[in-house]
Amino acid sequence: MATRVLLVDDSRFDRRMYGDFLRHGGCDVVTVTSGEEALEALPANAFDVVVADLVLPGLDGLGVLAAARQLDPDLGVLLITAIEDVETAVRAIKMGAFDYLVKPIAAEHLQRAVRRCHEYRGLLHENSELRRTVALTEAAARLVTLGDRNELCRALVDALVRERLGALAAVAKLLPDGSMELLHLAGLGSEKDDLRAAMMAALTASSRATAGSGLVDLAAVIEHDLGEGLLARVDPSNSAYVVGLFATNGGRPSELDRESLRFLSRQFSYALSALDRAAAVESLAFVDDLTKLYNMRYLRQALARQIELADTGHGSFSLMF
């Protein structure tokens, strides 16, 4: 795919010449004449690199640089100028410019700078993906080690909020009568009663959309008072849970949000199943199969625990047969 470049220059000659240089280098180029036009073009297009003249009418190149970096911190910006000023160059680099080129610029030099800038952006994106993958893996590893359902639910929503800054996440249990029991809620404003009520309403109204058996390998997009969100239903063993993720800053769920919810919900399901199996094994080990009463193994464990507590001064106990 061709590198998409936004070229900002008030000189018609320079726009045409440097635009041709970049197109001959395989780039897809959009040209504008001012910083204000650049601000209008940036949000509407997915540019890989911005090449901006330093001296522009109105908003100058440094202003374009600041706006572009605020919109996308990984967006590469090259500043070009006819004035060779070391102080301005240093300031531009400190503000996040990838490079500072002095006119006239040879075609090979400009093409190489844009290519390096695009490759660096790719490395930043790859590094971000690796960090996200590691964070998700660590969150999943923590989920499967927890032995308490409440801790498990809390860890799930906390992990979702960490993955999606400015989000509200919740997990609720689906009761036999079709209502929902909110187990945990985390994120911006989660302490507010009206927000909790809105989340419960959204989960209840949308739970039927994800009805099914087993883990739903789908994060359904839902719309409610909270805005657009993602919902996944988890059905381990004989219970059903609904996991919701909402953006509280007006944003729309992204594909990364969908993948995070799907992955962590799947790990949540595995952890719940493991808890059910552990409870079943513990029951087999300490409960008599015929009478359903605690057996000798449980008695030995209970006695050892009580004797240890008494020995450490935490009270005494009596044993009656």
Side-chain angles (χ1 to χ4, degrees):
M1 183 179 295
T3 303
R4 285 187 53 79
V5 179
L6 176 63
L7 176 60
V8 191
D9 202 312
D10 60 332
S11 167
R12 181 179 179 182
F13 176 79
D14 287 350
R15 285 198 310 273
R16 182 170 182 177
M17 179 176 64
Y18 295 133
D20 287 344
F21 286 172
L22 294 171
R23 291 185 184 94
H24 291 157
C27 297
D28 182 8
V29 183
V30 175
T31 61
V32 294
T33 62
S34 68
E36 288 74 16
E37 289 183 15
L39 295 188
E40 293 179 4
L42 280 170
N45 297 272
F47 292 110
D48 300 306
V49 179
V50 176
V51 179
D53 191 9
L54 179 63
V55 180
L56 294 169
L59 186 69
D60 64 6
L62 292 177
V64 173
L65 167 63
R69 296 284 294 176
Q70 185 174 9
L71 183 66
D72 181 359
D74 294 336
L75 181 60
V77 180
L78 298 173
L79 290 180
I80 58 177
T81 181
I83 304 172
E84 188 171 359
D85 183 359
V86 175
E87 184 178 346
T88 304
V90 171
R91 182 183 173 192
I93 297 300
K94 287 184 176 181
M95 289 179 62
F98 181 79
D99 208 343
Y100 184 91
L101 308 177
V102 180
K103 298 177 182 180
I105 308 170
E108 296 81 3
H109 190 186
L110 181 60
Q111 292 167 2
R112 183 168 58 251
V114 168
R115 184 168 57 252
R116 287 174 50 242
C117 186
H118 189 200
E119 290 172 352
Y120 181 70
R121 174 179 169 86
L123 289 175
L124 289 177
H125 180 72
E126 183 179 346
N127 188 39
S128 176
E129 283 291 297
L130 288 173
R131 290 199 305 269
R132 174 180 166 273
T133 301
V134 170
L136 281 175
T137 303
E138 290 177 347
R142 172 168 168 73
L143 289 179
V144 298
T145 60
L146 296 174
D148 180 80
R149 289 179 190 273
N150 288 331
E151 291 182 4
L152 180 59
C153 293
R154 184 182 296 109
L156 171 65
V157 295
D158 288 345
L160 286 171
V161 170
R162 281 196 305 271
E163 280 300 305
R164 210 323 182 160
L165 296 179
L168 186 71
V171 57
K173 186 175 182 179
L174 183 60
L175 302 178
D177 62 0
S179 62
M180 306 289 293
E181 178 189 358
L182 184 62
L183 301 178
H184 279 289
L185 177 64
L188 297 178
S190 58
E191 71 284 352
K192 298 179 181 178
D193 292 338
D194 57 342
L195 197 57
R196 297 177 70 88
M199 175 62 83
M200 277 300 299
L203 293 177
T204 302
S206 307
S207 60
R208 294 185 181 87
T210 56
S213 59
L215 173 67
V216 176
D217 192 19
L218 169 68
V221 179
I222 58 178
E223 294 186 11
H224 202 265
D225 295 340
L226 294 170
E228 282 198 354
L230 296 171
L231 196 73
R233 175 167 163 153
V234 178
D235 292 88
S237 305
N238 297 321
S239 55
Y241 298 82
V242 176
V243 185
L245 179 64
F246 292 84
T248 56
N249 55 7
R252 296 171 60 88
S254 67
E255 187 58 34
L256 290 179
D257 295 331
R258 188 184 302 270
E259 291 177 6
S260 297
L261 180 62
R262 182 183 295 129
F263 177 74
L264 289 176
S265 295
R266 186 179 295 117
Q267 304 307 313
F268 179 61
S269 178
Y270 295 155
L272 287 172
S273 298
L275 287 179
D276 290 338
R277 289 193 298 270
V281 170
E282 184 176 1
S283 177
L284 290 174
F286 297 116
V287 176
D288 182 77
D289 189 52
L290 179 61
T291 64
K292 304 303 179 184
L293 300 175
Y294 288 122
N295 59 22
M296 181 62 71
R297 293 190 190 91
Y298 182 82
L299 176 62
R300 287 173 180 157
Q301 186 182 76
L303 281 173
R305 182 169 59 248
Q306 294 299 328
I307 291 172
E308 181 180 357
L309 289 173
D311 286 343
T312 55
H314 291 82
S316 59
F317 75 97
S318 301
L319 181 60
M320 182 177 65
F321 281 92

